[in-house]
């Protein structure tokens, strides 16, 4: 069954890609070539390159001003997406024909009326596989769901994107179970990191990250219940936002544990600029999604705050250097040191944040993830062998693999609320202990899952690339990190992955965390942080 479904889904995807032979690579790329990040745009015209290097905000403006047509924009991104798929295995459902037809409709509308249909008129947007797109499969990385989950309607987020004028043209890979920070399943196989194909692109929105990183999409939609937007964004050198639950649309997602609300994921954007994160949020809330999805909070978007209004010129920011479980790899610690120096130079106050209960937070998250003892996962995977990262997470199911009783579940919810009362303050920290491990070697989610437990908004932003040649770690402030023997087996495994040569030219990113339901202030603070980093870099 597994092989039959896999062959059929891959054949379906290939048949759709093969309709456009002009977009395929003209010669095969050696499997041994690890960094393929520049290849997808290598055969574009100068005009196409200019298009795919624009962020979503600039694209919307350029189409509105008729510098580009929606058709030539979607054609350029489809061209890159085709090559990206061949090199990284990042796509699942391909429907370029639909995207081209919609782009033609949008161009005719603009020509006839002189007006755009909405703020994303003509902007291509890619969508993670488990988000419903009408007329297309929603296999979600499960063999058992393939060909059986064709969406009869759009998810709320997709419905709003269409109203805003966005062009939907592909769905992207997510892992088996979704509960993974890598992207691998038995339908399509493994998605690769375009910067180094021997490394993971992260997960569970790994297809989105890989596609956007090589300019195959200007804006993608992911989901995050433990780091699944932020980790791919970090590994790919992108921006990614996980908001608090209840702010962004969430209805119309397919996945295990539907109806379980002890811990809830958040839907959000991955993008090439911070302003595109705000653009996505502004568009979503402009269409008042709480009218069609009642659990959402009626909190209109405050764009002026996202752009810095009411954000103090002098911030107090805490830096978490080490969470007490896993010390980050040297490039991440170096980035924290640069951020600290830049913030101080810009006149901000910086304090060291002492880690609070990070191992305890992960232990609690495991209970919340597996209230049913992992039973639903085991049922869906009955004829779908667990891939390595699924085996790893299922090996951590607590309570001896037995479901919690209702009384025990109530106590776990109380434990969650008690934990949330313990920690608060804006802070900069790693989003991972490493810049992106080898495939199947992800071992610690704590830097990101902590904020799902707290339900605080968190944004990932790129700070540069690691260069292995003549590398020397930065001199860190005394006492901010653990030195000596590994404190636990998780840290031992993460530490064993460190080799400067492995991570040469890999993006390095950090995470900024704000207060619950304050996504606008978080992005406003990010603007201050990035301004300080840029000023510091120029001075150096």
């Amino acid at each position: 069954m597994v092989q039959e479904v896999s062959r059929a889904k891959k054949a379906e995807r290939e048949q759709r890609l093969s309709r456009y032979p002009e977009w395929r690579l003209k010669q095969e790329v050696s499997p041994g070539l690890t960094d393929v990040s520049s290849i997808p745009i290598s055969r574009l015209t100068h005009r196409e390159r200019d298009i795919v290097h624009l962020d979503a905000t600039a694209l919307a403006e350029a189409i509105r001003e008729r510098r580009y047509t929606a058709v030539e924009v979607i054609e350029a991104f489809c061209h890159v997406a085709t090559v990206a798929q061949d090199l990284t295995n990042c796509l699942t459902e391909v429907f370029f024909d639909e995207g081209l037809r919609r782009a033609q409709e949008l161009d005719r509308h603009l020509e006839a009326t002189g007006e755009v249909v909405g703020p994303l008129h003509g902007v291509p947007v890619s969508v993670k596989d488990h988000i419903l797109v009408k007329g297309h499969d929603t296999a979600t990385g499960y063999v058992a769901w393939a060909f059986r989950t064709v969406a009869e309607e759009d998810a709320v987020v997709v419905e709003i994107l269409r109203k805003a004028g966005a062009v939907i043209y592909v769905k992207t890979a997510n892992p088996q179970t979704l509960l993974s920070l890598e992207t691998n399943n038995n339908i399509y196989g493994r998605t690769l990191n375009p910067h180094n194909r021997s490394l993971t692109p992260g997960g569970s929105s790994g297809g989105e990250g890989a596609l956007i990183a090589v300019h195959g999409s200007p804006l993608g939609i992911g989901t995050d219940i433990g780091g699944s937007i932020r980790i791919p964004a970090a590994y790919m050198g992108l921006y990614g936002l996980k908001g608090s639950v209840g702010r962004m649309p969430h209805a119309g997602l397919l996945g295990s544990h539907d109806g379980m609300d002890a811990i809830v994921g958040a839907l959000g954007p991955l993008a090439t600029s911070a302003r595109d994160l705000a653009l996505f949020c502004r568009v979503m809330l402009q269409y008042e999604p709480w009218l069609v999805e009642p659990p959402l909070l009626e909190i209109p978007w405050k764009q002026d705050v996202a752009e810095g209004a009411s954000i103090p010129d002098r911030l107090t920011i805490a830096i978490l250097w080490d969470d007490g479980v896993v010390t980050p790899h040297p490039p991440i610690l170096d980035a924290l040191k640069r951020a600290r120096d830049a913030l101080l130079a810009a006149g901000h106050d910086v304090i060291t944040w002492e880690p609070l209960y990070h191992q305890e937070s992960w232990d609690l998250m495991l209970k919340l993830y597996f209230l049913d003892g992992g039973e639903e996962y085991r049922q869906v995977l009955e004829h779908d062998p667990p891939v390595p990262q699924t085996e790893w997470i299922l090996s951590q199911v607590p309570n001896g693999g037995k479901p919690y009783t209702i009384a025990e579940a109530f106590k776990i919810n109380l434990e969650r609320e008690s934990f949330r009362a313990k920690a608060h303050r804006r802070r900069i920290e790693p989003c991972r202990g490493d810049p992106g491990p080898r495939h199947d070697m992800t071992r610690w989610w704590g830097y990101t899952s902590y904020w799902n437990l707290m339900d605080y908004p968190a944004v990932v932003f790129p700070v540069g690339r690691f260069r292995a040649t003549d590398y020397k770690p930065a001199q860190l402030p005394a006492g901010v990190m653990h030195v000596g023997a590994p404190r636990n087996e998780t840290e031992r495994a993460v530490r064993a992955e460190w080799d400067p040569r492995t991570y040469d030219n890999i993006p390095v990113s950090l995470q900024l965390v704000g207060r619950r339901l304050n996504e606008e202030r978080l992005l406003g603070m990010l603007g201050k942080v990035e301004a300080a980093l840029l000023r510091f870099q120029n001075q150096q």
Side-chain angles (χ1 to χ4, degrees):
M1 173 186 171
V2 172
Q3 292 179 344
E4 291 175 3
V5 169
S6 177
R7 279 195 296 267
K9 289 300 291 184
K10 289 178 179 177
E12 177 185 71
R13 180 180 62 185
E14 177 58 29
Q15 186 270 333
R16 293 175 180 178
L17 289 168
S18 65
R19 295 175 189 168
Y20 302 91
E22 68 274 19
W23 292 338
R24 305 306 284 266
L25 286 170
K26 301 308 176 187
Q27 56 190 43
E28 189 173 334
V29 173
S30 168
L33 182 64
T34 55
D35 186 351
V36 296
S37 56
S38 64
I39 294 176
I41 64 168
S42 61
R43 295 185 61 254
L44 299 184
T45 65
H46 288 300
R47 185 172 177 85
E48 287 174 325
R49 286 194 187 200
D50 288 345
I51 288 171
V52 300
H53 277 94
L54 295 176
D55 68 359
T57 302
L59 276 170
E61 179 183 353
I63 294 169
R64 183 171 62 250
E65 295 178 351
R66 306 193 195 190
R67 285 180 276 143
Y68 300 119
T69 66
V71 167
E72 65 180 327
V73 168
I74 190 60
E75 286 180 338
F77 281 101
C78 287
H79 186 166
V80 179
T82 301
V83 180
Q85 162 56 31
D86 288 342
L87 295 173
T88 68
N89 193 32
C90 58
L91 303 183
T92 56
E93 305 299 317
V94 175
F95 36 100
F96 294 162
D97 293 354
E98 288 183 26
L100 288 164
R101 285 197 298 272
R102 179 57 174 156
Q104 291 165 357
E105 293 171 0
L106 292 167
D107 284 338
R108 287 195 295 268
H109 177 91
L110 182 58
E111 182 66 28
T113 68
E115 301 289 337
V116 295
V117 302
L120 294 178
H121 184 109
V123 176
V125 178
S126 48
V127 179
K128 186 175 179 179
D129 192 64
H130 81 117
I131 300 171
L132 299 181
V133 175
K134 186 177 180 178
H136 296 286
D137 206 1
T138 322
T140 312
Y142 283 134
V143 169
W145 292 2
F147 296 113
R148 301 179 181 181
T149 49
V150 175
E152 297 181 358
E153 59 184 15
D154 286 329
V156 173
V157 60
V158 176
E159 181 182 347
I160 292 174
L161 288 170
R162 294 194 199 276
K163 287 180 181 177
V167 177
I168 313 298
Y169 62 116
V170 290
K171 296 182 76 178
T172 58
N174 62 229
Q176 183 188 62
T177 75
L178 288 170
L179 200 60
S180 175
L181 295 188
E182 301 194 16
T183 301
N184 185 14
N185 61 62
N186 289 322
I187 303 173
Y188 299 103
R190 191 186 302 280
T191 301
L192 308 177
N193 182 329
H195 301 293
N196 183 338
R197 292 194 289 179
S198 68
L199 305 179
T200 178
S204 61
S205 309
E208 282 299 328
L211 180 65
I212 299 169
V214 297
H215 305 287
S217 170
L219 179 65
I221 312 307
T223 53
D224 190 315
I225 199 171
S228 290
I229 289 172
R230 290 162 290 158
I231 293 301
Y235 291 174
M236 297 295 101
L238 302 172
Y239 292 82
L241 174 66
K242 179 209 80 71
S244 295
V245 172
R247 286 227 64 186
M248 293 298 121
H250 197 259
L253 278 58
L254 195 60
S256 296
H257 290 171
D258 282 352
M260 189 278 286
D261 61 3
I263 190 75
V264 179
L267 181 147
L270 293 88
T272 60
S273 69
R275 67 179 183 171
D276 280 359
L277 304 180
L279 172 66
F280 171 82
C281 296
R282 176 166 56 84
V283 168
M284 286 297 111
L285 300 188
Q286 172 183 333
Y287 288 87
E288 300 182 322
W290 45 82
L291 297 178
V292 294
E293 187 178 339
L296 296 180
L297 301 171
E298 186 175 346
I299 307 176
W301 185 254
K302 299 176 282 293
Q303 182 63 20
D304 61 332
V305 177
E307 293 174 355
S310 79
I311 305 298
D313 290 331
R314 182 175 180 175
L315 298 172
T316 299
I317 293 181
I319 292 183
L320 178 70
W321 301 84
D322 183 321
D323 69 357
V325 182
V326 171
T327 299
H329 282 183
I332 299 171
L333 293 170
D334 294 350
L336 289 170
K337 171 69 160 47
R338 287 198 305 277
R340 170 187 175 273
D341 293 347
L343 290 166
L344 289 172
H348 300 293
D349 295 322
V350 179
I351 63 175
T352 295
W353 181 265
E354 296 298 326
L356 293 172
Y357 317 111
H358 279 251
Q359 182 61 57
E360 290 85 346
S361 78
W362 177 242
D363 295 339
L364 178 53
M365 284 293 280
L366 287 172
K367 295 178 186 178
L368 295 166
Y369 287 149
F370 297 114
L371 287 176
D372 70 342
E375 179 60 25
E376 184 175 349
Y377 291 117
R378 289 192 291 269
Q379 289 177 359
V380 179
L381 296 174
E382 182 179 3
H383 303 293
D384 188 359
V387 299
Q389 276 292 297
T390 300
E391 287 185 330
W392 175 79
I393 192 65
L394 291 180
S395 73
Q396 299 191 64
V397 175
N399 200 37
K402 301 191 300 286
Y404 290 99
T405 66
I406 292 175
E408 288 171 333
F410 288 169
K411 290 180 180 178
I412 292 170
N413 286 340
L414 287 174
E415 194 177 343
R416 178 197 63 202
E417 295 310 303
S418 175
F419 189 95
R420 286 175 172 172
K422 294 178 182 178
H424 57 87
R425 187 180 287 272
R426 64 183 71 93
R427 72 193 204 186
I428 290 177
E429 63 172 72
C431 45
R432 280 283 298 156
D434 50 52
R438 292 174 299 143
H439 298 294
D440 302 327
M441 295 306 297
T442 300
R443 290 295 179 271
W444 182 237
W445 303 14
Y447 284 103
T448 49
S449 64
Y450 191 96
W451 300 112
N452 295 90
L453 180 57
M454 293 294 296
D455 194 28
Y456 280 15
V459 61
V460 160
F461 58 102
V463 293
R465 288 179 179 267
F466 174 68
R467 306 297 181 187
T469 304
D470 299 323
Y471 171 67
K472 293 181 180 179
Q475 185 69 38
L476 301 178
V480 297
M481 55 168 281
H482 171 71
V483 294
R487 291 165 288 190
N488 50 70
E489 288 305 311
T490 301
E491 185 168 57
R492 188 183 308 279
V494 173
R495 186 181 294 186
E497 288 298 296
W498 169 240
D499 182 336
R501 295 167 297 180
T502 300
Y503 298 109
D504 187 42
N505 202 38
I506 290 295
V508 178
S509 302
L510 295 175
Q511 177 178 217
L512 181 64
V513 181
R515 290 188 183 276
R516 185 170 180 266
L517 299 173
N518 275 257
E519 286 77 11
E520 297 95 330
R521 291 187 64 80
L522 177 65
L523 294 181
M525 290 187 294
L526 176 61
K528 301 281 188 183
V529 170
E530 290 203 300
L533 284 166
L534 180 61
R535 191 179 309 118
F536 188 74
Q537 177 182 320
N538 291 338
Q539 291 171 351
Q540 297 298 301

